[in-house]
Amino acid sequence: MRFFEITLLAALANFFAIFSVYANVEITQAPLDKYQWSYDTDPYGSEAIINEKLIRHGGIWIKFKRVPRVDAKRNSWVELIHRLPGASLAGSQKIRLTYQCDIALIIKLSQQEYGKHGDKSYAHYQIELPATNQWSTKEVDLKDFSRPAWTPTNSTDHGLIPKHIDEIYLTPSMTDKDGGEAILQVRAIELIP
């Protein structure tokens, strides 16, 4: 009887060991591609601080210091930029992000119609993720993105058009009025059909 119990326990231990290996393989993310990541700050004094290079040890660590808005025509900004490998979000329904950020994190999607070369429609959509000091993986659906409160009411809403988006912007949620500081870390990003 004792031999049977030992054999059964050994078989169960082997099963769980094999299962945990497969489970770990399944959640392994593709490494971050250094050619798809960059960062940007305004010319008014905001800063981005990195450790030697943007991607180290398989992840990104970046500290942003954003100055308050300069005046009505000159706003400050800080952003971590992910250039999409397929040059657009076409065919994607969701974004899965593994990150840490000590304040709330905004994922921004700006369409080709947005900005100085656009049609003045403010085709900019975003969603906010909670602050976390531990690695957290969040999956967001593109249909849940919306235009921010600062969008002019007289602007045309085209709706989010995935094929018109070629980059994903990640920015800690700092206010125009106060600016602020935050550390953002990214371990993985994935587009889900």
Side-chain angles (χ1 to χ4, degrees):
M1 181 72 171
R2 182 82 177 132
F3 174 77
F4 177 72
E5 289 175 354
I6 292 172
T7 305
L8 183 59
L9 287 174
L12 282 172
N14 284 336
F15 171 78
F16 286 120
I18 291 169
F19 178 79
S20 68
V21 167
Y22 282 114
N24 286 335
V25 167
E26 188 174 68
I27 61 171
T28 300
Q29 301 287 337
L32 299 177
D33 182 341
K34 67 180 180 179
Y35 299 107
Q36 295 174 340
W37 290 92
S38 62
Y39 58 90
D40 196 17
T41 62
D42 60 69
Y44 311 121
S46 295
E47 296 178 63
I49 301 163
I50 60 172
N51 286 331
E52 297 175 27
K53 53 187 178 179
L54 187 58
I55 299 175
R56 289 186 67 208
H57 308 296
I60 292 171
W61 182 97
I62 189 165
K63 180 175 184 175
F64 285 118
K65 294 182 178 181
R66 181 181 172 195
V67 299
R69 183 180 192 114
V70 178
D71 56 41
K73 293 190 177 191
R74 296 179 298 160
N75 198 5
S76 61
W77 73 85
V78 295
E79 53 199 19
L80 178 62
I81 306 164
H82 175 57
R83 193 167 297 106
L84 296 169
S88 84
L89 275 178
S92 300
Q93 299 295 319
K94 296 180 181 182
I95 299 168
R96 181 182 298 138
L97 180 69
T98 301
Y99 74 102
Q100 288 186 49
C101 191
D102 46 15
I103 63 174
L105 177 65
I106 299 174
I107 301 177
K108 299 178 180 182
L109 306 175
S110 291
Q111 295 180 182
Q112 63 191 23
E113 295 84 4
Y114 182 73
K116 63 183 176 183
H117 301 296
D119 63 5
K120 302 193 184 337
S121 64
Y122 292 85
H124 173 93
Y125 299 84
Q126 64 186 46
I127 195 166
E128 189 172 288
L129 300 179
T132 176
N133 290 318
Q134 298 180 359
W135 288 111
S136 179
T137 300
K138 298 289 184 189
E139 199 170 283
V140 292
D141 199 309
L142 296 185
K143 68 179 175 48
D144 294 330
F145 281 72
S146 60
R147 299 201 303 171
W150 52 258
T151 307
T153 55
N154 62 348
S155 67
T156 303
D157 186 356
H158 290 289
L160 195 143
I161 305 170
K163 68 181 179 181
H164 290 190
I165 297 166
D166 62 357
E167 294 176 327
I168 296 172
Y169 299 86
L170 305 175
T171 183
S173 181
M174 301 178 213
T175 65
D176 293 350
K177 178 184 174 193
D178 299 321
E181 294 185 14
I183 294 173
L184 169 60
Q185 298 179 74
V186 174
R187 184 180 283 169
I189 192 166
E190 183 181 358
L191 305 179
I192 302 170

